[in-house]
Amino acid sequence: MKLLTLNFLTCARKTCKTNPAAFPLHPREAELEQIEAEINPLLIQNLLPRINWEVLKTISQELGLPSLPESAPDSEDFMTEEGEPTQTLKDLHTLLMEMNVQNGKLVCGSCEHEYAIKEGIANFLLPSHMV
Amino acid sequence: MLPTPSTTHVSFDAIYEPAEDSYLLLDTLSSASETAFLASHFPSPSTPSPLVLEVGVGSGVVLAFAAANAQTIFGRADVAFLGTDVNALAARAAAQTVRGAVAEQAEPRAAFLDVVEGDLTSCVKDGEVDVLVFNPPYVPTETLPAPLDAEAMASPEVFERDSKLLELSYAGGEDGMETTDRLLERLPGVLSARGVAYVLLCAQNKPEAVKERIRAWPAGWCAETVGSSGKKAGWEKLVIVRIWRG
Ligand SMILES: C[S@@+](CC[C@H](N)C(=O)[O-])C[C@H]1O[C@@H](n2cnc3c(N)ncnc32)[C@H](O)[C@@H]1O
Ligand SMILES: [Zn+2]
């Protein structure tokens, strides 16, 4: 599962929907794998406004990745004058699009329920008594 | 005609095989009227990248088609795609279908995020989805089958397990609407302010009544039939309804 995906997911329990602690889900015992992907500069630029930077910082830290800048980069800094992707853009692309949690858990900060990730696929199905 | 994604790796013993309903979704999403609507609804490059969610991906044929043809369908390639299904085998197979179809495209390519196992939109954060697509289990049945838990998935009775998984793909309970109604109820929460949903209905689902119900939601919702197939005695067998805030 990509780190970008975590920007769009919360705990699946109804009672957690309105609790801010249910977002983001926290990766635990995560096995990370980098899977190369072609960079799409316009995509990163147009996704940036929807990315919760605080959340991305938290997740990166929890995964033991190098710490991110205090505030989100400016998309003006994504291309060199020659029209080549800058290191800033490349790093963000790697983080959002190439880093995958292959195995591990996602933990809800509100109810502490653990969702398993196996072979890159997260399972959000709940036993019927928990829905 | 845009190419149909390859699903040769998918086991149709346990996963819904692309059928008339799936193809109607492909045709509708790529029709001249819908591509024009979507391109003007999500103007590029001045608006943030849309997030597309398909609920109940099955083989992944619809999500793969939309992702591979993002430039044609949405008028932009900077679109992100996410899928869910209660069927664990479908989630895995669909991820492979989408990855394969997107890889065949020339750059720039759309972003395929993930397919996750989950019930409808339950794990998706509210207010984030810009385009939601759902080809639901729509056949009227006596009862609604329960999703399979880990134990049932690991059962050695593979034939029985597979037939339960297939039942989940078509059995819709009363009027064939029990699962679709649950999804519709969550739409105003799940969709972003600019969000649009495409939901497939069959004649027994009473599509005209469904549309009327949606139009009566508070805060002004629109529901229009934007695709149909299989005329039977003057009635369309299958329709695609587009739902959005007016
Ligand atoms: C009619 S099939 C459509 C499959 C595929 N989208 C297509 O068009 O070919 C319905 C799919 O929805 C899934 N499904 C059924 N109930 C669901 C639920 N509550 N949440 C998520 N997916 C569900 C089934 O497993 C099945 O894959
Ligand atoms: Zn929770």
Side-chain angles (χ1 to χ4, degrees), chain A residues 1-2 4-5 8-12 17 23 38 40 43 46-47 50 97 118-119 121-125, chain B residues 45 48-49 51 76 78-79 86 92 107 109 111-115 117-119 122-125 128 130:
Chain A
M1 157 180 259
K2 293 190 171 67
L4 176 55
T5 306
F8 300 115
L9 300 182
T10 63
C11 182
K17 277 284 163 212
F23 175 78
E38 293 302 331
N40 179 346
L43 177 89
N46 283 339
L47 273 172
R50 335 185 32 155
M97 310 297 297
K118 287 187 188 141
E119 294 156 22
I121 308 245
N123 181 359
F124 289 97
L125 290 171
Chain B
S49 292
L51 174 67
R76 59 198 290 175
D78 62 321
V79 181
V86 274
R92 284 175 168 71
E107 290 176 44
R109 298 191 184 113
F112 167 50
L113 303 187
D114 279 285
V115 178
E117 292 168 46
D119 176 43
S122 58
C123 63
V124 180
K125 192 163 174 272
E128 295 284 353
D130 297 303

Side-chain angles (χ1 to χ4, degrees), chain A residues 125, chain B residues 14-26 54-63 84-88 90-91 116-122 133-139 144-145 147 164-171 179-180 182-183 200:
Chain A
L125 290 171
Chain B
I15 299 168
Y16 190 78
E17 182 168 4
E20 188 183 353
D21 45 8
S22 326
Y23 297 122
L24 177 60
L25 265 172
L26 305 193
E54 188 190 4
V55 176
V57 285
S59 64
V61 69
V62 178
L63 191 63
T84 70
D85 205 296
V86 274
N87 177 345
V116 301
E117 292 168 46
D119 176 43
L120 300 180
T121 60
S122 58
V133 180
F134 192 28
N135 176 7
Y138 54 78
V139 177
L144 201 63
K164 282 186 187 159
L165 289 172
L166 285 185
E167 198 185 344
L168 274 175
S169 71
Y170 68 83
T179 300
T180 307
R182 273 205 304 128
L183 177 105
L200 183 138

Side-chain angles (χ1 to χ4, degrees), chain B:
Chain B
M1 273 286 280
L2 300 168
T4 303
S6 164
T7 50
T8 49
H9 58 281
V10 181
S11 158
F12 297 127
D13 292 341
I15 299 168
Y16 190 78
E17 182 168 4
E20 188 183 353
D21 45 8
S22 326
Y23 297 122
L24 177 60
L25 265 172
L26 305 193
D27 290 344
T28 304
L29 289 173
S30 58
S31 69
S33 53
E34 286 321 294
T35 56
F37 172 84
L38 290 166
S40 74
H41 207 71
F42 303 104
S44 166
S46 53
T47 55
S49 292
L51 174 67
V52 178
L53 169 70
E54 188 190 4
V55 176
V57 285
S59 64
V61 69
V62 178
L63 191 63
F65 180 84
N69 300 300
Q71 185 67 52
T72 309
I73 296 173
F74 303 95
R76 59 198 290 175
D78 62 321
V79 181
F81 293 85
L82 188 62
T84 70
D85 205 296
V86 274
N87 177 345
L89 302 176
R92 284 175 168 71
Q96 198 180 335
T97 308
V98 183
R99 247 180 251 123
V102 172
E104 280 178 15
Q105 294 299 309
E107 290 176 44
R109 298 191 184 113
F112 167 50
L113 303 187
D114 279 285
V115 178
V116 301
E117 292 168 46
D119 176 43
L120 300 180
T121 60
S122 58
C123 63
V124 180
K125 192 163 174 272
D126 270 2
E128 295 284 353
V129 176
D130 297 303
V131 180
L132 184 145
V133 180
F134 192 28
N135 176 7
Y138 54 78
V139 177
T141 49
E142 291 273 316
T143 54
L144 201 63
L148 282 69
D149 58 18
E151 200 183 324
M153 284 304 293
S155 160
E157 308 287 341
V158 174
F159 180 79
E160 201 188 316
R161 179 201 68 183
D162 287 356
S163 63
K164 282 186 187 159
L165 289 172
L166 285 185
E167 198 185 344
L168 274 175
S169 71
Y170 68 83
E174 195 182 345
D175 286 339
M177 279 300 285
E178 287 188 36
T179 300
T180 307
D181 273 337
R182 273 205 304 128
L183 177 105
L184 293 176
E185 200 181 298
R186 286 294 302 134
L187 266 191
V190 167
L191 289 182
S192 68
R194 58 177 184 165
V196 182
Y198 291 91
V199 178
L200 183 138
L201 301 172
C202 75
Q204 291 102 310
N205 300 156
K206 307 180 181 135
E208 290 309 314
V210 173
K211 286 193 285 183
E212 280 312 316
R213 281 208 314 272
I214 294 166
R215 289 173 188 143
W217 288 352
W221 286 79
C222 308
E224 293 297 340
T225 299
V226 292
S228 61
S229 79
K231 268 218 194 301
K232 210 164 97 189
W235 288 91
E236 310 292 355
K237 215 169 76 192
L238 300 173
V239 298
I240 310 274
V241 177
R242 186 218 288 156
I243 304 162
W244 74 109
R245 287 184 173 87

Side-chain angles (χ1 to χ4, degrees), chain A residues 27-89:
Chain A
R28 293 273 161 81
E29 295 159 37
E31 234 172 75
L32 275 181
E33 189 181 331
Q34 184 171 354
I35 302 171
E36 253 178 67
E38 293 302 331
I39 194 163
N40 179 346
L42 187 64
L43 177 89
I44 305 289
Q45 184 184 320
N46 283 339
L47 273 172
L48 189 61
R50 335 185 32 155
I51 290 167
N52 185 321
W53 194 255
E54 289 308 312
V55 160
L56 195 60
K57 279 202 301 198
T58 308
I59 293 169
S60 306
Q61 193 203 354
E62 289 172 351
L63 288 169
L65 294 166
S67 57
L68 296 182
E70 199 42 45
S71 53
D74 191 329
S75 60
E76 308 247 303
D77 300 331
F78 280 173
M79 290 299 202
T80 64
E81 278 171 26
E82 293 77 39
E84 292 295 318
T86 61
Q87 197 58 43
T88 306
L89 176 61

